[in-house]
Amino acid sequence: MLISGCSMNVSAQVLTLDSCRNMAERNNRQIAIGRVQKDIAKNVRKSARTKYLPRVSALGGYELTSREISILSNSQQNVLNNIGTTAMGTLSGMLTQDITALVQQGVITPQAAQAIQQQMGSKGEQLSQMGNAVGQKITEAFHTDTKQIFAASVMLTQPLYMGGTITAMNRMADIQESMAENNFDKQLHETRYKVDNTYWLVVSLSHKLALAKQYNELLKQLNKDVANMIREGVATKADGLKVAVKLNESEVSLTQAENGISLAKMLLCQQCGMDLDSQFSLVDESSSDVSLTSSEVGNIDTETAIEQRPEIRLLENVVELSSQATKMARATNLPQVMLTGGYLVTNPNVYDGFSRSFAGIWSVGVMVRVPVWNWFDGAYKVRAAKGATVMANYQLAEAREGVELQINQSRYKLQESLKRQKMAKSNIASAEENLRCANLGFREGVISSTDVLGAQTAWFEAKSQSIDADIDVRMNRLALEKAMGVIMR
């Protein structure tokens, strides 16, 4: 029994308006999306800040080619490979001419000339081979071995002046973060407004259900009294039928009120993220008076209220964003200056005769980009961005007027509901006095049951109108707070 009692207490929890709002804010998917959007905008803003800082990038690669780079042409290689043969052939021809001349002059005999030529032939062959070997070594020295190439580099880039692009980009990131925050506030206000509406709808139906039960009890008592009077012969069956019809109608109204509360609570469960069959009660359901006075409504300056609306702040962000877009479009027509530095390493070593070793070189430079002619593309973009800014300003002005009108309409409706509430309270006092007199007259036998029915119906309607007036004040104040962008707790 103790365990079952505890479980009943846990399942039938009592909720306040604040607890309903908190559950809705925790479980609402649109609010969850808004939180993610805020986080995204925050990271985008942090990313934009890094554009001011130097960038370091590393690059590495390997390449296998079908042919290597050749410094010497094929004809040059052929010349070097046969340099000994060529040289000795030329020298042999020159010596042969000189020896022939000496023989003709009689300096030497033909036999001596023949011996000299034979000796030169044997030595020339050796010198030719030695020359060819030297040429081949030279040819191989020019061999680059570049079929396989390894390369790696590290590059540092520091923007010095980008025409204002980075500054505008960072400002746009700040505006987008503010837009995400304002959009989150807008969704938060919408969720609170819906939850408050449903909360007071449940309270209204609960009070009407209690009133319907009281009215049903009055009709039941009257039905018993009229039945006794019929048995005594002081009332007719027609009087009894009238009371019975009213009693049946009240039973139907009672069932409708119970069903209405069930449906309204299901809607509140859906908005708060609870199971639809959750059992709970609201604090204000048991409250005897849910009315607000004019002093509790409060007053907020219209100009201040307009600036508090998330929709207005969002449109202001759009105007600022469009202005920064204009600056970015203008920056494309300005020069850009960047500082660069890096280190490059390669294999083969191009700084040591293409030897198979790694060697590198560092470099520092300044890069300047100046747009010269783009067929007025930048000017057209600037004009288009300025047009978007003008359009955003028009939308902002129109939204301000609409919000001001909405605030005034909500304020007038709230004032009207306060007057109706005051009238409903005075009508209750009259209806209760009328019902007291009717009951007294009925017991004394000077008033018919029809008059008592009329008094009971008037009392029920006055009470129902009073509940409607109290909830109407709550709803209208909530609508005014939403129009002003401040849904109070």
Side-chain angles (χ1 to χ4, degrees), residues 129-171:
Q129 291 176 354
M130 292 175 60
N132 290 340
V134 171
Q136 290 173 0
K137 288 183 178 180
I138 294 174
T139 301
E140 289 187 5
F142 279 97
H143 177 62
T144 59
D145 192 14
T146 53
K147 283 188 176 182
Q148 299 186 74
I149 300 175
F150 299 87
S153 68
V154 177
M155 179 66 69
L156 182 144
T157 305
Q158 172 64 56
L160 300 179
Y161 177 73
M162 303 300 290
T165 304
I166 298 179
T167 303
M169 184 187 303
N170 276 270
R171 181 57 187 149

Side-chain angles (χ1 to χ4, degrees), residues 247-381:
L247 181 59
N248 291 335
E249 291 177 355
S250 72
E251 295 285 352
V252 174
S253 298
L254 198 60
T255 303
Q256 290 175 344
E258 291 173 347
N259 293 337
I261 289 177
S262 298
L263 292 174
K265 284 190 174 182
M266 287 182 183
L267 178 60
L268 187 60
C269 287
Q270 182 189 26
Q271 292 173 347
C272 295
M274 300 187 297
D275 294 333
L276 295 182
D277 56 352
S278 299
Q279 299 298 319
F280 65 91
S281 61
L282 304 180
V283 171
D284 291 295
E285 284 186 90
S286 58
S287 176
S288 58
D289 187 12
V290 294
S291 61
L292 287 175
T293 61
S294 58
S295 60
E296 293 178 296
V297 171
N299 190 20
I300 301 177
D301 180 63
T302 302
E303 289 298 325
T304 304
I306 291 175
E307 297 302 323
Q308 291 175 334
R309 281 289 291 268
E311 294 87 347
I312 298 299
R313 298 202 301 268
L314 278 170
L315 287 174
E316 289 174 347
N317 293 145
V318 172
V319 173
E320 295 175 3
L321 199 64
S322 178
S323 177
Q324 295 302 319
T326 303
K327 292 181 180 180
M328 285 196 68
R330 188 179 292 115
T332 58
N333 296 325
L334 301 177
Q336 297 177 350
V337 182
M338 298 178 67
L339 176 66
T340 62
Y343 186 81
L344 173 67
V345 60
T346 62
N347 186 349
N349 184 356
V350 296
Y351 308 105
D352 188 21
F354 290 92
S355 62
R356 266 297 164 191
S357 62
F358 286 94
I361 183 173
W362 60 267
S363 63
V364 177
V366 177
M367 183 184 300
V368 180
R369 174 184 175 274
V370 180
V372 178
W373 182 254
N374 56 10
W375 299 100
F376 303 105
D377 176 64
Y380 296 145
K381 289 181 178 178

